[in-house]
Amino acid sequence: MIETTLKTIKDKLLVKIPTDIKEVTLGQIMAMQTKPVLNDLDAISILSDIPVEELQNVLDFRDFDMFGEAVVSLSNQIKHLYNSDDIPSKVAFDFDGKTINVNVIRNLSVEPAGAFMAARDVIAEEINEHISLYGEEDWQERFNPSLKASCQVLAQYFYCRVTGKKYNEYKIEEFCETIKKLRVTEALPIAKYFFMSYPNLLKRKTNCFRQLHLFWKRKRAFNRLKNSSI
């Protein structure tokens, strides 16, 4: 963490921003990603949780120079994070005035059914959009899910585990605010695993009638082979 006190028109302002990606939340990175043009004050505002209006009252703009290197470093760390497969075994949530520790199940199965179907739809839409823009060939090597979609998938995955409540699709958007408080180093690798495992999720989409049809189709083929003279 880097911090300094800056002089403003009326008083002084303590500004602190992280220097390590482990200190940055998913919500902060999402806020930066949604900016069409991210200038220096926007980045410092998001990372310090200080409104831009307050930063604009700093007397000397050169006082912000000390944060420039930290912002560039964080940007490079984020790029490397997209290539990380280090899934945490446990995640801590600040929810309802309590700290709740949730084990991250290694197979990352999405439960219950409502959460699975919703997560599958988010993943499918995100991948289809990527393929429509860049083509299907080697899409997994070039695909990086948006942070918004990642947040939505994680909200589906963690909602019941964190709240202890039954699944409620109307509460998921609200729960996204809790997900945004996760460290991005925890959130992004878990979300990335879901997206990269999408073909496996797709197989689970097959309903029982389709499975029964495939079973009888294989059985008829086996009988024909058994009764042939070959």
Side-chain angles (χ1 to χ4, degrees):
M1 187 75 70
I2 183 172
E3 64 178 86
T4 188
T5 301
L6 306 179
K7 291 183 179 180
T8 67
I9 292 176
K10 288 190 175 182
D11 46 29
K12 296 180 179 181
L13 182 65
L14 177 63
V15 181
K16 298 189 295 184
I17 71 168
T19 54
D20 192 309
I21 193 64
K22 293 179 181 179
E23 302 169 320
V24 180
T25 67
L26 176 63
Q28 288 174 314
I29 303 299
M30 288 177 66
M32 288 193 284
Q33 190 182 65
T34 56
K35 289 282 185 181
V37 179
L38 184 70
N39 60 41
D40 293 343
L41 284 187
D42 288 331
I44 295 172
S45 171
I46 292 168
L47 292 171
S48 65
D49 291 325
I50 297 175
V52 171
E53 292 76 17
E54 291 189 37
L55 295 174
Q56 288 173 336
N57 283 296
V58 171
L59 286 177
D60 192 343
F61 182 78
R62 289 173 296 183
D63 289 344
F64 294 120
D65 289 347
M66 66 180 301
F67 297 114
E69 186 176 338
V71 172
V72 172
S73 174
L74 287 173
S75 177
N76 292 329
Q77 290 178 61
I78 291 168
K79 291 179 182 178
H80 290 298
L81 182 61
Y82 270 102
N83 297 321
S84 174
D85 296 320
D86 188 14
I87 301 173
S89 59
K90 184 177 293 186
V91 178
F93 287 87
D94 291 324
F95 181 77
D96 202 20
K98 297 179 292 185
T99 298
I100 300 174
N101 294 303
V102 180
N103 291 325
V104 179
I105 303 172
R106 191 62 192 179
N107 65 10
L108 295 181
S109 57
V110 186
E111 299 171 348
F116 168 77
M117 294 174 68
R120 181 195 63 196
D121 290 343
V122 172
I123 293 170
E125 184 177 349
E126 191 80 356
I127 291 176
N128 287 336
E129 183 176 350
H130 173 87
I131 290 176
S132 67
L133 291 173
Y134 306 106
E136 189 171 358
E137 185 177 358
D138 298 327
W139 70 266
Q140 287 179 308
E141 295 181 6
R142 295 178 288 129
F143 172 69
N144 284 323
S146 70
L147 295 179
K148 181 180 179 181
S150 298
C151 182
Q152 291 172 336
V153 169
L154 291 176
Q156 299 290 344
Y157 176 64
F158 282 114
Y159 177 77
C160 293
R161 291 178 171 89
V162 173
T163 65
K165 299 177 180 178
K166 292 182 178 180
Y167 179 75
N168 186 331
E169 60 180 311
Y170 301 106
K171 292 289 186 179
I172 295 299
E173 193 66 30
E174 179 182 331
F175 187 67
C176 281
E177 296 304 314
T178 299
I179 296 297
K180 290 178 183 179
K181 297 175 184 177
L182 286 177
R183 290 185 296 179
V184 69
T185 51
E186 296 173 330
L188 201 55
I190 299 173
K192 178 187 172 185
Y193 181 92
F194 277 119
F195 282 93
M196 292 299 100
S197 301
Y198 176 69
N200 293 331
L201 291 176
L202 184 63
K203 289 177 183 177
R204 293 177 61 182
K205 185 178 177 181
T206 305
N207 60 39
C208 59
F209 297 105
R210 173 65 175 163
Q211 291 175 343
L212 187 61
H213 171 73
L214 292 174
F215 169 78
W216 284 112
K217 186 176 180 180
R218 287 194 297 268
K219 185 174 182 179
R220 287 197 300 269
F222 173 77
N223 287 336
R224 285 197 301 269
L225 179 64
K226 184 174 66 173
N227 295 329
S228 68
S229 57
I230 299 175

